[in-house]
Amino acid sequence: MVTQTRSLLMSSRLVKIFLVVSLVAMTRSVAADDSIDAFLEEVKELVSRETEFTSETDAKEWLARTNVALAEQNNKAATASFNYATNITNENRQKQVAAALAMNRWSNAHVIQAKKYLSNSNNFAPGSDVIRQLKIFVQGEPFVSKDAALSRKLEETSSKLQVVYTDAHLTKNGKTYYIEPELTEIMSTSRDYDELLWAWLGWRDAIGPRAKPLFTEVVTMLNLVSRQNGFSDAGEAWRVSNYEFDNIESTTHDLYEEVRPLYEQLHAYVRRKLIQKYPGRGIDPSGGIPAHLLGNMWGQQWDSIMDVVTPYPLVAADNVTGPLQSYTAKRMFKMAEDFFKSIGLDPMTSTFWNKSMIEKPRDRHVDCHGSATDFFKEGDYRIKMCSVRTGESLNTIHHEMGHIQYFMQYHRQPSIYRTGANAAFHEAVGDTITLSVKTPGHLRAMGLLKTEKPKGDSGSENDEYKKDINFLMKIALEKIAFLPFGYMIDRWRWEVFRGQVTPENYNRRWWELRRLYQGLIPPARRTQNDFDPAAKFHVSYFIPYIRYFFSFIGQFQFHEALCKAAGHTGPLQKCDIYRSKKAGDLLKSLLSLGGSKPWPESMEVITGQRKFKTDAILEYFKPLHDWLKRANAQEHVGWKNHH
Ligand code: ASP
Ligand code: SER
Ligand code: ZN
């Protein structure tokens, strides 16, 4: 009886498969790779519909197979993306889109199956890891869609928007200016108000109007897909898929409120220095700062204008740019690798060195924005970036290598868990390390800081204090200045996805938030035809951003914990964990978990705390905060229309 039912079932399956095969063969020219893959997926899904998706044992086997297949799928998608980003041609673009679509088909079929197991999981062992894997898998794929036409349109439109960003450039006197390295260099080194304005406006004009219709379409499609998958909108899909967080919006708000007093002090002090630097430009001493004067295209990190705002110019401030001029890109990467090795983490693999793109190639067009990719194949991890000889680049190298270290530490986990505890943890690894790298003690040991001879105030008992304040100012320009930016990008996008802000108000709302949180104003009139958000990489690439906000807070918690493990005593800002195996072991214990545990548990492993908290970052900057309050005694702290 059982046998007979089974064989009937088998034959009915075969009939269906045959039908699908003929149908697909008749209606589709099986040309592109993705349609073959898609076709196979349809067949597989059809076959698997006949199983019942009820037992935990089946689910386990299913997961074992799916984890293997997922690595294979990720490898294909990563390969196509990396090939495209490091050699932008139309052909590579087509391949990238095809690979993304194939991935979508595969994921969609498997998410459906995972959901079936989940809906039957009430009889699985309580707290079963099977349930967690299924959940993480489903959560990680909030934009899969059954609708092939919609997916294709979504991929193609996103891809076109990315092209607008990567192709954007300005020309002046026969010279071409891309965002990296040319415009980035102007923004960070030029002190000519009008030249800065030219670069700032030109970059936005080159992107905004072209990007806006594409961006708007992508928003609509992402919302559609998100709703099909049970989310209220794409913003919610992002929040859930990256965080396992309740109340991420109010948590962000509360954390930001805790650091706001420090930010406002920094802002007031920098504003005064800019008024002195650019007199007669109408900068309002109690208003917002024109957004193009902060050393960065987006006013997101201000450390490049350290020369303008150094608290004590007469005691030497750190500047690694000079010594870096004799470095090659490879040597900068080796320096980062050496730090990770010194705490007992792994060296980069030979594939890493052979296949990474560490400099801008001369023979082809590439996407320069720094990134790190896990290829889900033994030893295959790569970075792509266009490094130059600046401290900023050296940071990015450590940042990206932090991602690679995370990939390597969790590579033995099942594919579903080969991910960060949450997205912010992934962003925080390399940055945590740079908090040690940037200490004057470390830089001097590396030969990146000449033993400085104070130019004035020599021998004063305050010299050490002044150097500390200079140092903290430099780090604050990078880390504290970033926080409101890291917050407002997704504040704006959450509102966009929710439909609270409509396309005709996109740019107006953008600037409202820029002013409200960052205290920045546009240096020229903006209209609703402008679309300044798209001038930021992560907006045009639809990469969630709130991860960086959390990372910039969490990295100070991590730094504090690693310093404690390293036996550091004294002020947190002076800690350098170089060569501390104990710190390295603690870091490894976090990284090797990947996504296998809810992030508060991973957080607890390293810090003993289960939350993102501002105590460490506030303690780190306490001396500077006190100094700023005194320095700003006569200032209007804050800016008009603030609240
Ligand atoms: N992917 C990094 C960032 O976007 C690289 C960079 O800093 O450029 O987080
Ligand atoms: N790497 C991120 C960015 O470039 C955060 O610093 O925006
Ligand atoms: Zn990153």
Side-chain angles (χ1 to χ4, degrees), residues 399-400 403 427 548:
H399 174 93
E400 304 305 346
H403 287 304
E427 298 306 334
Y548 300 108

Side-chain angles (χ1 to χ4, degrees), residues 44-56:
K44 267 196 235 154
E45 206 218 313
L46 211 94
V47 173
S48 62
R49 263 183 214 148
E50 303 296 340
T51 64
E52 286 167 56
F53 299 97
T54 48
S55 88
E56 187 167 356

Side-chain angles (χ1 to χ4, degrees), residues 337 340 345-349 352 374 379-381 401-413 418 426 591-592:
E337 182 193 40
F340 285 104
L345 273 70
D346 295 333
M348 297 295 106
T349 64
F352 173 89
D374 186 350
D380 197 350
Y381 314 99
M401 206 175 277
H403 287 304
I404 305 279
Q405 290 291 349
Y406 214 156
F407 298 153
M408 295 200 291
Q409 289 299 321
Y410 62 50
H411 89 277
R412 282 196 186 80
Q413 294 280 354
R418 289 174 71 171
H426 231 304
L591 303 184
S592 57

